[in-house]
Amino acid sequence: MVIRIVRITLRPEAVEDFLVLFDAAAPKIRAFDGCRHLELWRETGLAHVMTSYSHWTQPIALDRYRQSVLFKETWAKAKPLFGARPEATSWHVLRTVEP
């Protein structure tokens, strides 16, 4: 599994537009082959800083999404709302600890 974390700094006046865009795109992203989980977080005390958190079955699934029309169209709409360049990282689960 691959966990993708993207920190997104928005222009403060663009927050609501971004949330509308996310809410419209999220069900399509979540339904994309290989996506197993999707969340949007807001940084405490910074209403214009968000983080998307997603789980992908394997790196190729994430790569297919990033090359898809869905990604390209969504990114084109989101990009003008950014106040800074997004910071993306991908993680592989090394160990899971159960209670």
Side-chain angles (χ1 to χ4, degrees), residues 2 5 7 10 19-22 28 31 34 36 39-40 45 48-49 56 58 69-71 73 79 85 87:
V2 175
I5 299 173
R7 187 171 198 263
L10 300 163
L19 293 174
V20 168
L21 176 61
F22 181 85
K28 297 172 192 169
R36 295 293 177 249
E39 293 180 351
L40 181 66
H48 68 290
V49 179
W56 297 85
Q58 53 191 346
V69 171
L70 173 60
F71 176 83
E73 288 176 352
K79 195 171 180 178
R85 184 182 176 123
E87 301 169 26

Side-chain angles (χ1 to χ4, degrees), residues 55-76:
H55 295 185
W56 297 85
T57 55
Q58 53 191 346
I60 191 78
L62 176 58
D63 290 342
R64 278 192 220 121
Y65 166 67
R66 294 183 64 227
Q67 297 302 317
S68 73
V69 171
L70 173 60
F71 176 83
K72 291 174 184 174
E73 288 176 352
T74 303
W75 193 255

Side-chain angles (χ1 to χ4, degrees), residues 6 11 14 17 31 42 45 62 72 80 93 96:
V6 183
R11 292 183 293 106
D17 289 339
R42 177 178 277 168
L62 176 58
K72 291 174 184 174
V93 176
T96 300

